[in-house]
């Protein structure tokens, strides 16, 4: 029996199940370790190894073979981490190894397990449950982990489980990342081992000053609401400090100007010593500090400053074998983000660096874009820059010695591909992901003078003369994310929408990544003008190229999160262009969104109140003239449901009809199979009804 695309997409978690990921390479180059589910519709992740000499794969830890309960009682910290990481699978969704990559630690149902990667022997250790973020020390003698808010140690043989440090109150934690670090800085962890395994750097997070919000479950009124510490724009953040903890319990506090630089961004502890990155609240600078582990004193290594904001680049800080700092700078003269070594740019103008994946010796592995719809893997060796991937696509990887793992997805074929490149040959790593039942027919174009990267999809088999189509804009449109990339599977849902009778347009306007500092900073203080103007430009250019297909008298727009805000804005601000909107989990009032994201773009609410009013959907509510559906998960702790409820109240007060679809038990993601599938059908029916006349 054939399966529909919406059901297949929901069942496969948008085709992410079965894809190998989270690769590590052993220093002796003998093995590669990774995560993967056993099938494209199997949500339970296993831990695997690949023999680098033969390419033979082996499952070394399978949750189904272990006597563990389900995931109904996951630790709150693990649920939060998965939400922040947008993790949709279950089972072994993360692991950490010792330096030799001979042992790996992971959790299942809040319990601690260790696997010998040579023998595949899995042992449960009697750690204090629930266990979160276990990390073996480099020598593989003991494991650090967090239980509750306490950072603990346990020996690798399961003995001497103990608290390394006790929180001073129930508002203080050791070894965890606070909300804005995980959600906005991409820092998911809160403790780091020294190379000798004798000391831990731990984040001490005090949430006492953070306001408390309560996320209720109205469908189950017998359940008490969940309390979360949410630092909304303009309100106090958690107080984050750092401590150095010896394995015998001795403690040293790290000293830096936390009043001026309250954000702790990243850490790197290598053979040259300990580096951390800190940032002021206005995010216009980043400081790289060196920490003396003997006394906690810090010294300045590097300062990066930008008059608008500084970007956090994944993989930094890191150092070369000779001890030179690898960093990035926003080169205003060439409008390029470039890698620097010891302060000197080493990547060329026009090559926009995305991330630093690793440094070996003096060699740097990184990702970058010349064409913003493509992300390629590069290596910098001496003065030579080599691109390691070819063809339109999005690629990444890891490297250790002579072994390089290259991951990627392409525009001309479905699915993901992974290969392990060794001096003796190349081995493919199998992907068990399902092949979509739909094949996108996508056209990538550059719209307008700004060459806005735009994707256009028409119904399968549509030909000129068959009548003009209603148009559906399907953007994200905001910072940190791109929808227009050279990856086929990214357009499957758009093709399905097109096949329901729409011309679908997706555009990445100003503010989105990989077009240079000026492009990204064009939205500073003003999301409305640049973002909305660029969507309209893309729409008009797509219609100009396809005049027989586009009916500009019937234009809808839908989006989620920032895209939800954009969809709401479009019908409120430009009803002459957009005739119906579907806003999913929209940020309707930026004062209700978090500090680190919102203040970077709109400033502090007390200092720039006009920016918040100008970018608010609630302030525009009385002007609604078009149909608007608002969808929101009631369990969302990122963009809380108050955004939708307040907009709905303002619309009702102004006498403006609208539709609200609350999703009980759904967070900012919609991984539930039935919910995800039916949401697509409901949206299509709503759009067709609104655009039928």
């Amino acid at each position: 029996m054939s399966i529909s695309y919406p059901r297949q997409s929901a069942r496969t978690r948008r085709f992410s199940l079965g894809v190998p990921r989270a690769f590590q390479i052993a220093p002796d180059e003998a093995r590669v370790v990774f995560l993967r589910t056993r099938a494209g519709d199997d949500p339970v992740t296993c831990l695997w190894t690949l023999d680098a000499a033969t390419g033979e794969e082996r499952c070394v830890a399978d949750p189904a073979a272990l006597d563990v309960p389900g995931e109904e009682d996951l630790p709150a910290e693990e649920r939060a981490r998965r939400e922040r990481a947008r993790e949709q699978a279950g089972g072994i969704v993360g692991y950490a190894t010792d330096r030799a990559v001979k042992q790996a630690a992971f959790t299942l149902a809040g319990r601690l397990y260790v696997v010998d990667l040579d023998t595949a022997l899995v042992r449960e250790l009697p750690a204090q449950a629930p266990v979160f973020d276990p990390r073996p020390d480099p020598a593989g003698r003991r494991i650090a982990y967090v239980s509750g808010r306490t950072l603990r140690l346990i020996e690798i043989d399961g003995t001497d489980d103990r608290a390394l440090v006790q929180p001073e109150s129930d508002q203080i934690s050791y070894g965890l990342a606070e909300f804005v670090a995980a959600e906005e800085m991409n820092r998911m962890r809160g403790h780091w081992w020294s190379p000798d395994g004798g000391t831990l750097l731990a984040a001490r997070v005090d949430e006492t000053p953070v306001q408390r919000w309560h996320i209720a479950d109205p469908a189950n009124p017998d359940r008490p609401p969940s309390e979360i510490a949410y630092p909304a724009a303009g309100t106090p953040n958690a107080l984050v400090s750092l401590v150095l903890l010896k394995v015998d319990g001795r403690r040293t506090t790290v000293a830096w100007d936390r009043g001026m630089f309250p954000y702790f961004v990243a850490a790197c502890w290598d053979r040259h010593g300990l580096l951390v990155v800190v940032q002021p609240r206005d995010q216009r600078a980043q400081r790289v500090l060196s920490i003396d582990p003997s006394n906690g004193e810090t010294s300045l290594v590097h300062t990066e400053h930008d008059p608008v904001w500084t970007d956090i680049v994944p993989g930094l800080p890191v150092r070369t074998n000779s001890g030179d700092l690898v960093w990035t700078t926003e080169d205003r003269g060439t409008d390029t983000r470039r890698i620097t070594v010891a302060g000197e740019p080493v990547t060329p103008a026009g090559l926009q660096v995305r991330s630093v994946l690793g440094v070996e010796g003096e060699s740097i592995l990184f990702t970058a874009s010349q064409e913003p719809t493509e992300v390629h893997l590069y290596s910098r060796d001496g003065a030579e820059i080599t691109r390691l991937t070819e063809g339109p696509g999005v690629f990444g990887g890891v490297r250790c010695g002579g072994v390089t793992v290259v991951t990627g997805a392409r525009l001309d074929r479905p699915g993901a591909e992974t290969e392990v490149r060794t001096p003796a040959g190349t081995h493919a790593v199998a992907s068990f992901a399902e092949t979509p039942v739909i094949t996108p027919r996508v056209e990538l174009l550059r719209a307008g003078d700004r060459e806005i990267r735009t994707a256009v999809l028409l119904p399968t088999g549509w030909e000129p003369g068959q009548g003009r189509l209603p148009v559906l804009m399907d953007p994200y449109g905001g910072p940190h994310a791109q929808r227009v990339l050279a990856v086929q599977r990214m357009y499957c849902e758009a093709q399905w929408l097109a096949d329901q009778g729409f011309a679908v347009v997706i555009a990445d306007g100003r503010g989105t990544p990989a077009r240079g500092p000026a492009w990204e900073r064009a939205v500073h203080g003003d999301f409305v003008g640049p973002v909305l103007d660029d969507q309209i430009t893309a729409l008009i250019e797509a219609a100009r190229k396809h005049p027989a297909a586009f009916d500009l008298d019937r234009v809808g727009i839908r989006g989620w999160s920032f895209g939800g805000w954009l969809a709401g804005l479009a019908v409120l601000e430009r009803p002459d262009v957009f005739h119906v909107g579907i806003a999913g989990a929209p940020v309707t009032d930026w004062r209700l969104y978090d500090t680190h994201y919102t203040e970077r773009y709109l400033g502090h609410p007390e200092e720039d109140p006009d920016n918040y009013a100008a970018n608010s959907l609630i302030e525009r509510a009385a002007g609604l003239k078009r149909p608007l559906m608002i969808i929101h998960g009631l369990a969302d702790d990122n963009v809380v449901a108050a955004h939708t409820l307040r907009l709905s109240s303002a619309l009702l007060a102004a006498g403006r009809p609208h539709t609200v679809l609350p999703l009980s038990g759904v967070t900012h993601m919609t991984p539930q199979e039935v919910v995800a599938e039916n949401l697509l059908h409901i949206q299509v029916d709503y759009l067709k009804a609104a655009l039928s006349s």
Side-chain angles (χ1 to χ4, degrees):
M1 183 177 67
S2 62
I3 185 172
S4 70
Y5 171 79
R7 171 55 63 92
Q8 186 190 30
S9 178
R11 191 189 66 193
T12 62
R13 311 291 201 270
R14 298 193 173 194
F15 305 95
S16 63
L17 302 180
V19 177
R21 59 192 176 98
F23 290 90
Q24 288 194 49
I25 305 169
D28 64 5
E29 305 177 27
R31 72 166 61 87
V32 176
V33 188
F34 61 98
L35 299 175
R36 185 180 55 197
T37 69
R38 287 188 174 276
D41 59 354
D42 180 0
V44 179
T45 311
C46 303
L47 185 65
W48 303 75
T49 60
L50 177 142
D51 187 307
T54 66
E56 180 184 358
E57 296 178 9
R58 181 187 191 190
C59 181
V60 295
D62 183 351
L66 302 171
D67 182 22
V68 295
E71 299 195 328
E72 296 80 10
D73 297 322
L74 279 177
E77 295 84 1
E78 176 60 17
R79 291 188 185 278
R81 188 201 67 79
R82 294 188 187 188
E83 183 69 20
R84 303 285 76 79
R86 310 296 189 258
E87 173 65 65
Q88 298 193 65
I92 306 170
V93 297
Y95 70 98
T97 71
D98 57 4
R99 182 167 43 224
V101 191
K102 291 185 176 296
Q103 300 176 97
F106 59 89
T107 64
L108 286 170
R111 291 150 63 170
L112 174 60
Y113 293 85
V114 175
V115 57
D116 184 307
L117 297 173
D118 284 321
T119 65
L121 175 64
V122 180
R123 296 180 293 123
E124 181 181 355
L125 302 189
Q128 179 70 52
V131 174
F132 175 75
D133 195 20
R135 295 184 179 272
D137 79 342
R141 296 168 297 191
R142 55 183 65 91
I143 297 172
Y145 69 96
V146 179
S147 184
R149 292 174 170 261
T150 302
L151 183 61
R152 302 180 65 89
L153 291 180
I154 188 170
E155 300 301 305
I156 200 72
D157 62 4
T159 63
D160 198 18
D161 180 45
R162 62 198 185 276
L164 189 57
V165 61
Q166 290 286 357
E168 294 83 353
S169 79
D170 61 2
Q171 299 302 311
I172 295 173
S173 66
Y174 285 88
L176 296 175
E178 76 279 18
F179 177 89
V180 294
E183 182 65 39
E184 309 298 356
M185 303 180 200
N186 198 35
R187 176 171 65 78
M188 300 290 177
R189 59 189 295 190
H191 58 279
W192 295 260
W193 279 106
S194 63
D196 65 4
T199 308
L200 278 159
L201 174 72
R204 178 185 184 272
V205 176
D206 184 354
E207 293 181 330
T208 302
V210 184
Q211 66 181 358
R212 292 316 195 265
W213 284 1
H214 298 86
I215 310 295
D217 182 2
N220 294 281
D222 57 313
R223 298 178 184 173
S226 300
E227 182 180 273
I228 62 170
Y230 193 95
T235 69
N237 280 301
L239 301 173
V240 181
S241 56
L242 295 171
V243 294
L244 292 157
L245 301 168
K246 295 287 188 181
V247 294
D248 61 9
R250 287 178 292 162
R251 168 176 175 166
T252 303
T253 300
V254 176
W256 84 91
D257 187 351
R258 290 170 47 225
M260 185 66 70
F261 292 86
Y263 287 132
F264 163 48
V265 175
C268 169
W269 205 337
D270 60 19
R271 67 186 186 87
H272 299 290
L274 175 57
L275 297 179
V276 296
V277 180
V278 295
Q279 193 179 45
R281 182 150 178 166
D282 67 13
Q283 301 177 57
R284 292 175 182 166
Q286 289 186 61
R287 282 188 175 179
V288 183
L289 305 176
S290 176
I291 299 175
D292 184 340
S294 68
N295 57 23
E297 295 297 316
T298 56
S299 56
L300 181 63
V301 174
H302 179 76
T303 297
E304 191 72 23
H305 181 268
D306 188 282
V308 184
W309 70 70
T310 57
D311 284 292
I312 297 171
V313 177
L316 300 180
V318 69
R319 283 179 282 205
T320 66
N321 189 57
S322 58
D324 289 333
L325 177 69
V326 178
W327 194 250
T328 59
T329 189
E330 309 291 338
D331 186 339
R332 294 293 181 136
T334 63
D335 197 27
T336 305
R337 177 180 296 151
R338 304 173 71 180
I339 290 177
T340 62
V341 176
E344 294 298 320
V346 298
T347 52
L351 184 64
Q352 304 289 353
V353 171
R354 301 273 198 145
S355 65
V356 175
L357 301 175
V359 173
E360 279 201 301
E362 306 301 309
S363 177
I364 305 170
L365 188 71
F366 64 98
T367 58
S369 298
Q370 286 183 313
E371 160 55 42
T373 62
E374 300 179 17
V375 183
H376 285 280
L377 188 64
Y378 291 83
S379 180
R380 188 255 180 182
D381 302 280
E384 185 177 352
I385 304 289
T386 304
R387 198 172 92 173
L388 304 179
T389 50
E390 298 297 332
V394 172
F395 302 93
V398 295
R399 182 170 61 190
C400 183
V403 177
T404 303
V405 177
V406 180
T407 62
R410 299 180 182 272
L411 187 61
D412 61 357
R413 67 197 72 166
E417 58 188 48
T418 304
E419 60 182 29
V420 179
R421 301 178 182 178
T422 76
T426 298
H427 309 294
V429 182
S431 172
F432 301 147
E434 290 192 8
T435 299
V437 296
I438 199 166
T439 301
R441 189 180 70 169
V442 59
E443 175 190 5
L444 301 183
L445 57 88
R446 302 181 182 190
D449 294 339
R450 295 190 182 91
E451 297 189 337
I452 300 160
R453 293 332 191 249
T454 304
V456 178
L457 297 101
L458 301 176
T460 301
W462 183 90
E463 297 291 343
Q466 294 181 347
R468 291 192 299 163
L469 302 163
V471 183
L472 176 59
M473 301 290 291
D474 190 21
Y476 179 80
H480 305 301
Q482 290 175 264
R483 291 288 313 282
V484 185
L485 288 167
V487 175
Q488 186 181 111
R489 72 171 182 270
M490 291 189 66
Y491 303 104
C492 290
E493 184 168 298
Q495 185 65 62
W496 181 84
L497 289 167
D499 289 347
Q500 310 314 300
F502 297 94
V504 177
V505 179
I506 308 168
D508 287 341
R510 281 170 287 176
T512 57
R515 292 290 298 271
W519 181 270
E520 294 182 21
R521 286 157 177 75
V523 300
H524 185 235
D526 178 20
F527 286 140
V528 172
V531 171
L532 191 54
D533 286 351
D534 287 355
Q535 293 297 317
I536 294 172
T537 297
L539 170 65
I540 293 171
E541 178 67 13
R544 187 187 69 80
K545 285 185 173 290
H546 297 278
F550 278 60
D551 184 351
L552 293 185
D553 291 327
R554 296 185 292 160
V555 178
I557 183 170
R558 70 159 202 159
W560 196 267
S561 196
F562 189 98
W565 169 85
L566 177 52
L569 173 72
V571 293
L572 288 164
E573 188 76 4
R574 294 297 303 271
D576 56 317
V577 177
F578 300 96
H579 306 99
V580 58
I582 298 177
V587 181
T588 65
D589 180 354
W590 288 98
R591 291 176 181 270
L592 293 176
Y593 201 56
D594 73 59
T595 52
H596 195 272
Y597 182 99
T598 312
E599 293 172 12
R600 181 189 311 128
Y601 304 112
L602 301 182
H604 195 287
E606 294 179 2
E607 299 169 3
D608 299 291
D610 292 346
N611 288 350
Y612 285 78
N615 288 274
S616 169
L617 300 188
I618 295 173
E619 297 285 336
R620 292 174 163 78
L624 182 65
K625 299 176 182 177
R626 298 295 189 184
L628 174 63
M629 172 185 280
I630 315 168
I631 306 170
H632 219 121
L634 298 181
D636 195 334
D637 67 351
N638 180 17
V639 183
V640 296
H643 286 273
T644 284
L645 298 176
R646 292 187 185 185
L647 176 58
S648 179
S649 294
L651 291 167
L652 185 61
R656 303 300 180 187
H658 61 286
T659 300
V660 175
L661 178 59
L663 305 177
S664 178
V666 172
T667 63
H668 201 58
M669 303 186 291
T670 52
Q672 295 90 336
E673 184 174 323
V674 173
V675 173
E677 176 188 10
N678 289 331
L679 265 180
L680 283 175
H681 291 294
I682 288 170
Q683 291 176 69
V684 166
D685 290 345
Y686 187 80
L687 291 165
K688 284 184 173 180
L691 298 174
S692 61
S693 57

